Amino acid sequence: MSAPAWVEQVIWWQVYPLGFVGAFPAQQRPPDPGEHRLRRITAWFDHAITLGASGIALGPIFASRTHGYDTTDHYHIDPRLGDDADFDHVVAEAHRRGLRVLLDGVFNHVGVDFARGSQTWLRDCTFEGHGDLITLNHDNPEVADYTVDVMRHWLQRGADGWRLDAAYAVPQRFWANVLPRVRESHPDAWFVGELIHGDYAAVVAGATFDSVTQYELWKAIWSSLNDRNFYELDWALQRHNTFLSSFAPLTFIGNHDVTRIASRLDHPGHVALAVVILMTVGGVPSVYAGDEFGYQGVKEERLGGDDAVRPEFGSPPLPVDERGAQLWTLHQHLIGLRRRYPWLHAASTATLRLDNRQYVYRTYCGDEALIVALNVDDAPLHTSVPRAQVIAGSGAPPTEIVDTVVVEPHGWRILRPT
């Protein structure tokens, strides 16, 4: 089993639709289908393309009562977003621009108002203590059949793949039953499971996923930058290498479930380093909408604690300050670099220099390679490298050929061996 070939080129721009269009939390009355709010996302498709993205990863869009992960009917678009015609419009506009569309499927649990099936479809327990989320009975064949049919239904309507929410909580045998059946009719679909920790490679094999969310690397990126401890990042990248031998993980530095990277990092300048890492290591990168502008937002463990990281977006273009404009340009440049070097999708990394505050690694695939130098020290980094051309960096001449790289405090360089 291998992932569809198109995934090698994809870079996702992730959107949480209910928040993005102001449908949840609604400050006044909930919107109705006649407002067709889902269509507002299409106004941002050209922005995504200008950024360099080639796919739109949508959060939950199916009927629910609150935040979208308490699904009440997988066959209907959430009335606060619109209706089936709005979905068809979004897919058509995305595909017209060459953008793939990834849907968010919640098949571990449902909302208390879930209308399908019988009580045998449900377990007598809630999901992770959330009283409004009831866990599905994955031992019931009808639940598997339902999941297969739902996936096929929306793939037939034009979706290109599925993110499988809380996949870590679902028995692997359930996915191993469901996904091959869906692939029979949609062999070009891509399936990524949400995993937090554990043996990623074993789960991918056992569940027949194409990919999983790389939370280990996400944590290592921001934690190593904050602690000025690149040993943690190096360890995570060694683990990442082992995953890449069998699948390409979904990599990210932000999503709808975590504190935004610009709020997570202690040093504002280190946001650039986090983006550099994301775009120079193997995997399938995803950029959470707003991170390209340096949006702030802290996730809190309380009712409504996700709202700050799931804000409403108006119509493009949004006004941004100087720092936001700089981060936008940085994202464009680094995503463009990744698209010029598509082999980065399968690239492994090798450590060239490592200490707590300075890290140089070689990212490579076959005969292709780049060298990445990161410095979170208050002193410059000086290190010898194989003769190489500087192609990107903070304050770096873009065509300089060197055999010794010098990186200013809290800076970075990307070089191509000559």
Side-chain angles (χ1 to χ4, degrees), residues 1-10 12 100 102 155 159-162 183 186-192 208-211 247-248 284 345:
M1 187 187 68
S2 59
W6 60 264
V7 179
E8 297 179 8
Q9 307 290 331
V10 78
W12 298 108
R100 299 281 179 171
L102 186 71
L155 291 170
D160 296 287
W162 288 91
R183 289 187 177 100
H186 297 88
D188 209 32
W190 186 64
F191 303 91
V192 54
T208 73
F209 297 145
D210 292 311
S211 181
F247 71 97
V284 181
H345 170 80

Side-chain angles (χ1 to χ4, degrees), residues 53-286:
S54 52
I56 306 297
L58 295 174
I61 59 172
F62 307 120
S64 69
R65 186 167 61 174
T66 59
H67 45 60
Y69 291 98
D70 52 345
T71 314
T72 56
D73 191 339
H74 293 85
Y75 287 102
H76 288 90
I77 299 300
D78 195 305
R80 295 169 294 175
L81 296 175
D83 54 26
D84 278 14
D86 297 318
F87 174 82
D88 293 340
H89 175 79
V90 167
V91 170
E93 288 298 303
H95 287 173
R96 183 173 67 83
R97 294 169 170 83
L99 294 167
R100 299 281 179 171
V101 177
L102 186 71
L103 299 183
D104 200 345
V106 189
F107 300 110
N108 172 68
H109 52 269
V110 293
V112 293
D113 298 328
F114 182 68
R116 302 232 171 203
S118 66
Q119 286 303 310
T120 62
W121 282 40
L122 306 175
R123 292 194 181 277
D124 188 21
C125 62
T126 61
F127 173 59
E128 295 183 348
H130 298 284
D132 55 347
L133 302 178
I134 310 300
T135 302
L136 284 167
N137 179 5
H138 298 100
D139 293 327
N140 186 332
E142 293 180 0
V143 173
D145 293 344
Y146 173 81
T147 303
V148 169
D149 194 65
V150 168
M151 287 187 178
R152 287 174 174 168
H153 174 81
W154 295 106
L155 291 170
Q156 185 65 35
R157 294 188 75 108
D160 296 287
W162 288 91
R163 172 195 178 269
L164 304 173
D165 183 70
Y168 56 85
V170 178
Q172 293 177 33
R173 64 181 181 275
F174 178 84
W175 299 121
N177 172 16
V178 165
L179 298 184
R181 294 162 61 189
V182 180
R183 289 187 177 100
E184 288 176 1
S185 53
H186 297 88
D188 209 32
W190 186 64
F191 303 91
V192 54
E194 184 193 16
L195 256 64
I196 309 299
H197 50 69
D199 189 341
Y200 290 175
V203 174
V204 167
T208 73
F209 297 145
D210 292 311
S211 181
V212 294
T213 52
Q214 226 306 23
Y215 269 94
E216 284 187 6
L217 183 59
W218 161 78
K219 192 270 180 182
I221 291 173
W222 62 260
S223 180
S224 62
L225 293 172
N226 276 351
D227 295 345
R228 301 193 186 189
N229 176 19
F230 277 128
Y231 286 93
E232 179 182 1
L233 178 59
D234 184 68
W235 182 89
L237 285 176
Q238 291 180 47
R239 286 262 296 171
H240 193 63
N241 286 343
T242 66
F243 305 145
L244 287 162
S245 65
S246 56
F247 71 97
L250 178 68
T251 56
F252 59 94
I253 53 175
N255 65 31
H256 65 293
D257 274 333
V258 300
T259 290
R260 286 192 181 267
I261 191 67
S263 295
R264 174 73 74 173
L265 292 175
D266 298 334
H267 192 295
H270 293 172
V271 175
L273 277 68
V275 182
V276 169
I277 298 165
L278 175 66
M279 292 300 165
T280 59
V281 301
V284 181
S286 176

Side-chain angles (χ1 to χ4, degrees), residues 205-394:
T208 73
F209 297 145
D210 292 311
S211 181
V212 294
T213 52
Q214 226 306 23
Y215 269 94
E216 284 187 6
L217 183 59
W218 161 78
K219 192 270 180 182
I221 291 173
W222 62 260
S223 180
S224 62
L225 293 172
N226 276 351
D227 295 345
R228 301 193 186 189
N229 176 19
F230 277 128
Y231 286 93
E232 179 182 1
L233 178 59
D234 184 68
W235 182 89
L237 285 176
Q238 291 180 47
R239 286 262 296 171
H240 193 63
N241 286 343
T242 66
F243 305 145
L244 287 162
S245 65
S246 56
F247 71 97
L250 178 68
T251 56
F252 59 94
I253 53 175
N255 65 31
H256 65 293
D257 274 333
V258 300
T259 290
R260 286 192 181 267
I261 191 67
S263 295
R264 174 73 74 173
L265 292 175
D266 298 334
H267 192 295
H270 293 172
V271 175
L273 277 68
V275 182
V276 169
I277 298 165
L278 175 66
M279 292 300 165
T280 59
V281 301
V284 181
S286 176
V287 177
Y288 183 46
D291 282 356
E292 69 270 33
F293 296 131
Y295 272 26
Q296 301 275 335
V298 176
K299 176 185 173 70
E300 300 177 1
E301 297 300 327
R302 59 172 178 80
L303 184 65
D306 294 314
D307 296 350
V309 299
R310 303 175 179 181
E312 181 176 1
F313 281 58
S315 299
L318 291 183
V320 294
D321 59 16
E322 181 179 354
R323 174 168 165 73
Q326 291 173 349
L327 284 171
W328 162 256
T329 301
L330 174 72
H331 276 80
Q332 275 190 308
H333 184 70
L334 291 174
I335 293 173
L337 180 146
R338 189 176 185 94
R339 298 190 70 166
R340 288 194 302 276
Y341 301 116
W343 55 266
L344 283 166
H345 170 80
S348 297
T349 58
T351 305
L352 301 182
R353 171 173 173 165
L354 172 64
D355 60 36
N356 284 332
R357 300 185 177 198
Q358 298 176 334
Y359 188 37
V360 182
Y361 60 87
R362 179 174 178 262
T363 184
Y364 65 94
C365 182
D367 295 332
E368 301 284 356
L370 296 174
I371 296 171
V372 180
L374 307 173
N375 184 19
V376 295
D377 202 353
D378 296 328
L381 161 65
H382 296 259
T383 190
S384 298
V385 295
R387 186 171 175 80
Q389 181 181 25
V390 178
I391 60 173
S394 47

